[in-house]
């Protein structure tokens, strides 16, 4: 989704801004632009398409300046055209970049038009530019004007404002879309994600909800929504500098698939005792809360939602309490009932997904006993607003299609179910010890699963001409099948659907023919015989099966069955292991089809608008 970078420095910053945008490309966008103050005017360059198009334009016509703002836009209001790309101007003296959506923009637009403002775009953002310009006329400073203007806005924004008359300052405001300030030596930066600024600083400070700040080269003045000044220190970031580099890999997605053993090792590090999970890994109050929760409500979106669905199987079978799972965008707009003494869990890679965040805020009003965030980004809104947080430590995930974030979420959720079970003794010590051993083996087992890569690359050839694909699984492998289908559709644009295999005869069987590949996830568990029957139903109708199966399942390759052996030494970790071949399959299909693997069309990494 949209990305923001800004800088006030003493050197030319156009290159830093463009590099920052490049590092935000993974979020998904359709146009890019920047503006710098140069020779007593605001120079702006914008292009539809990739940041490389913007770079080309700058190579042809360079702009110099020591303060500037830049943006990658993911269209919401108005098509992805150059005139809709940010920065937006008002009277050639105010420039604005904005993430989020201004909901009352139509009213404000009419009002501003009637006051003589001329609009050059179809965006909601341009309203902000004119509004700030109008308020500036009766304010002592840009900071004041932004404060007044933001009081008139409804909706979500992370915004950076620049004015011609005070080139050594930027004013920023945050309400619903994250912003982080980065401190250099005698220079200051702002971005929607710290990844953008890693080449120039490691000192960061996050703005809180509702804050407005004035950023100069050496200082940051932050105002709380009450208008009171807030003091906050910069902190050293632990995010790796190379997090934005592909290394030896052709795509971030592949790099991240292969990083899974080390990401999962990080998730586990310091959180396992000899034969148990360290319950405090979920927070100081976790021993008491996990022991007493009478039910669990989980909300999430996209891939994180699939992790939540797997957690439901684990929590109900291992802990014996009800676990409800819901898509955050549904949960937030439905009249929901919180079960007394229940725990609210939100799962999110980014910790900034607008719907998940809104669901958490609603849950906090509803009387849940506590909220727990399972998240990958320290300092994100979800983490800060939850009572407890479990960091998945996957490292920065750049590919839009989530891979290592998902498997580390699953790892954390299996640890959670184990910790809950420990505190209530719903499983024997030996059973707990066996799960902990499986968790320890997980990185090695994922490494083993990754050796299937070449074989899967060959199998992928058979999918490239297909238009549709079906994924089947049972039990906790059903959400894994859903995740496999999501991966395939996201990056290869092949229409893919997942079904609980038992549902096959209630509809999807009608679609089976030789043009419909059917991918089956088949670990060796108590449902395998049922699954085999479902596979026969497909074969009998001429369907082509691609079965990822444990050798012990004794499925043989036959006409209509392509078998790919995948083993998981442990039933609890099987969903995590079987995720890997499905990731590899969708990756290779997408590469052969020549799609934009890391930044699939129309999608965004971090969905900060609803
Ligand atoms: C977007 C991303 C997905 C992600 C989903 C939820 O759709 O493309 O990869 O699963 O948002 O994001 P979250 O950060 O909340 O996990």
């Amino acid at each position: 989704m949209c990305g923001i970078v800004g800088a006030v420095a003493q050197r030319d910053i156009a290159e830093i801004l463009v590099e920052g945008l490049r590092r935000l490309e993974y979020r998904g966008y359709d146009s890019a632009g920047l503006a710098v103050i140069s020779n007593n005017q605001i120079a702006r360059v914008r292009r539809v398409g990739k940041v490389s198009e913007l770079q080309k334009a700058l190579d042809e016509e360079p702009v110099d300046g020591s303060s500037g703002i830049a943006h990658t836009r993911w269209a919401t209001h108005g098509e992805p055209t150059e005139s809709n790309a940010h920065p937006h101007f008002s009277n050639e003296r105010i420039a604005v970049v904005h993430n989020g959506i201004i909901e009352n923009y139509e009213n404000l637009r009419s009002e501003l038009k009637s006051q003589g403002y001329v609009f050059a775009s179809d965006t909601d953002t341009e309203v902000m530019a004119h509004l700030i310009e109008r308020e500036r006329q009766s304010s002592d400073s840009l900071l004041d004007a932004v404060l007044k203007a933001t009081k008139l806005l409804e909706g979500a924004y992370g915004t950076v404002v620049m004015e011609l008359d005070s080139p050594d300052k930027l004013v920023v405001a945050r309400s619903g879309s994250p912003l982080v300030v980065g401190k250099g030596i005698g220079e200051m930066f702002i971005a929607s994600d710290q990844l953008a600024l890693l080449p120039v600083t490691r000192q960061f400070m996050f703005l809180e909800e509702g804050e407005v700040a004035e950023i100069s080269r050496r200082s940051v003045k932050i105002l709380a929504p009450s208008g009171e000044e807030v003091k906050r220190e910069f902190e050293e970031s632990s995010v790796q500098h190379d997090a934005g580099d592909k290394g030896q890999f052709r795509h971030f997605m592949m790099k991240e698939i292969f990083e899974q053993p080390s990401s999962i090792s990080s998730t586990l590090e310091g959180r396992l005792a000899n034969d148990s999970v360290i319950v405090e890994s979920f927070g100081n109050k976790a021993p008491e809360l996990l022991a007493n929760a009478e039910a669990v409500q989980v909300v999430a979106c996209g891939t994180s939602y699939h992790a939540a669905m797997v957690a439901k199987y684990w929590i109900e079978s291992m802990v014996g309490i009800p676990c409800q799972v819901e898509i955050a965008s549904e949960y937030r707009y439905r009249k929901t009932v919180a079960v007394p003494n229940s725990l609210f869990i939100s799962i999110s890679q980014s910790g900034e997904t607008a719907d998940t965040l809104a669901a958490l805020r609603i849950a906090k009003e509803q009387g849940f006993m506590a909220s727990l965030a399972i998240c990958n980004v320290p300092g994100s809104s979800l983490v800060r607003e939850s009572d407890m947080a479990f960091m998945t430590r996957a490292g920065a995930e750049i590919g839009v299609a989530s891979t290592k974030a998902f498997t580390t979420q699953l790892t954390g959720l299996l640890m959670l179910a184990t910790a809950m079970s420990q505190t209530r003794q719903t499983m024997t010590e030996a059973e707990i010890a066996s799960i902990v051993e499986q968790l320890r083996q997980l990185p090695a087992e994922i490494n083993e699963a990754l050796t299937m890569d070449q074989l899967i690359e060959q199998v992928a050839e058979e999918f490239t001409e297909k238009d549709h694909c079906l994924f089947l699984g049972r039990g906790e492998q059903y959400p894994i099948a859903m995740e496999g289908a999501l991966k395939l559709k996201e990056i290869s644009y092949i229409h893919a659907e997942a079904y609980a295999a038992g549902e096959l005869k209630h509809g999807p069987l009608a679609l089976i023919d030789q043009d419909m590949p059917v991918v089956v996830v088949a670990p060796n568990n108590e449902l395998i015989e049922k699954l085999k029957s479902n596979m026969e139903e497909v074969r009998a109708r001429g369907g082509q099966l691609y079965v990822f199966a444990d050798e012990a399942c004794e499925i043989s390759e036959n006409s209509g069955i392509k078998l790919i052996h995948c083993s998981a030494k442990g039933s609890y970790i099987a969903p995590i292991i079987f995720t890997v071949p499905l990731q590899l399959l969708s990756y290779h299909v997408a590469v052969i089809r020549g799609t934009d693997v890391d930044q699939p069309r129309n999608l965004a990494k971090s969905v900060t608008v609803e």
Side-chain angles (χ1 to χ4, degrees), residues 34-52:
L34 63 72
V36 295
I37 297 187
S38 174
N39 301 327
N40 211 25
Q41 58 165 355
I42 309 183
R44 172 172 66 179
V45 184
R46 300 177 292 176
R47 285 296 179 270
V48 173
K50 300 280 175 190
V51 174
S52 53

Side-chain angles (χ1 to χ4, degrees), residues 345-581:
I345 301 179
S346 55
I347 308 176
S348 171
Q349 187 282 126
S350 62
E352 302 294 349
T353 301
D355 287 320
T356 310
L357 207 49
L360 167 67
R361 289 174 185 157
I362 290 166
K364 285 171 85 174
E365 306 289 306
Q366 279 183 320
F368 282 93
M369 67 193 294
S371 55
L372 165 67
I374 307 283
C375 190
N376 191 34
V377 180
S380 60
S381 305
L382 207 66
V383 168
R384 280 182 286 116
E385 295 184 30
S386 298
D387 301 319
M388 303 184 285
F390 177 91
M391 302 315 306
T392 49
R393 304 180 186 156
E397 189 178 73
I398 308 287
V400 164
S402 185
T403 52
K404 61 177 182 171
F406 178 62
T407 48
T408 52
Q409 284 169 349
L410 289 177
T411 306
L413 290 163
L414 179 54
M415 290 168 76
L416 176 68
T418 312
M420 290 184 94
S421 173
Q422 279 170 217
T423 60
R424 323 152 76 103
Q425 291 162 1
T426 52
M427 297 176 96
T428 64
E429 282 182 11
E431 284 170 324
I432 297 283
S434 144
I435 298 171
V436 170
E437 186 48 32
Q438 289 183 37
L439 282 164
R440 277 210 181 87
Q441 292 305 319
L442 199 44
E445 294 238 354
I446 300 265
N447 254 327
E448 181 69 30
L450 289 168
T451 60
M452 284 186 278
D453 183 41
Q454 281 187 353
L455 175 60
I456 293 175
E457 189 175 2
Q458 289 162 19
V459 173
E461 296 279 354
E462 297 180 30
F463 285 71
T464 50
E465 299 295 319
K466 304 291 182 194
D467 296 322
H468 308 276
C469 182
L470 203 59
F471 284 72
L472 298 180
R474 272 182 177 264
E476 65 273 26
Q477 297 289 348
Y478 166 45
I480 300 305
M482 292 173 79
E483 176 58 11
L486 176 63
K487 286 289 85 92
L488 190 69
K489 75 180 104 172
E490 274 182 312
I491 60 170
S492 73
Y493 314 147
I494 293 175
H495 167 230
E497 275 192 76
Y499 263 86
E503 274 290 291
L504 197 55
K505 51 190 157 310
H506 298 293
L509 211 47
L511 299 171
I512 303 295
D513 61 15
Q514 65 283 2
D515 293 325
M516 171 74 98
V518 180
V519 177
V520 186
V521 210
N524 189 27
N525 61 20
E526 66 288 355
L527 294 170
I528 189 64
E529 292 309 322
K530 307 257 174 233
L531 194 61
K532 283 183 187 172
S533 308
N534 301 136
M535 284 159 44
E536 285 309 319
E537 290 163 8
V538 173
R539 263 185 80 199
R541 285 151 186 92
Q544 175 63 49
L545 288 153
Y546 295 85
V547 187
F548 292 95
D550 206 303
E551 222 164 337
C553 296
E554 295 180 348
I555 298 170
S556 37
E557 200 156 70
N558 230 313
S559 70
I561 299 193
K562 171 88 194 165
L563 190 64
I564 304 117
H565 278 141
C566 174
S567 68
K569 294 187 201 77
S571 57
Y572 285 99
I573 55 169
I576 312 178
I577 306 290
F578 276 74
T579 299
V580 175

Side-chain angles (χ1 to χ4, degrees), residues 5 47 84 236 278 284 288 482 490 511 551 577 591:
V5 191
R47 285 296 179 270
N84 285 335
E236 179 95 13
I278 298 172
N284 291 341
E288 191 198 328
M482 292 173 79
E490 274 182 312
L511 299 171
E551 222 164 337
I577 306 290
V591 169

Side-chain angles (χ1 to χ4, degrees), residues 247-316:
Q248 72 197 69
F249 294 93
R250 188 166 156 199
H251 298 100
F252 282 112
M253 182 179 175
M254 195 55 154
K255 176 181 176 235
E256 288 157 5
I257 289 173
F258 274 81
E259 276 171 356
Q260 289 178 110
S262 68
S263 306
I264 290 175
S265 295
S266 304
T267 313
L268 296 171
E269 202 183 310
R271 289 165 167 173
L272 298 181
N274 272 352
D275 290 331
S276 60
V277 168
I278 298 172
V279 180
E280 288 79 2
S281 312
F282 294 90
N284 291 341
K285 292 198 187 136
E288 191 198 328
L289 290 167
L290 299 188
N292 294 321
E294 286 171 30
V296 176
Q297 171 71 59
V298 197
V299 298
C301 301
T303 289
S304 299
Y305 170 69
H306 296 152
M309 283 185 72
V310 179
K312 179 183 172 75
Y313 287 89
W314 282 329
I315 290 174
E316 296 204 341

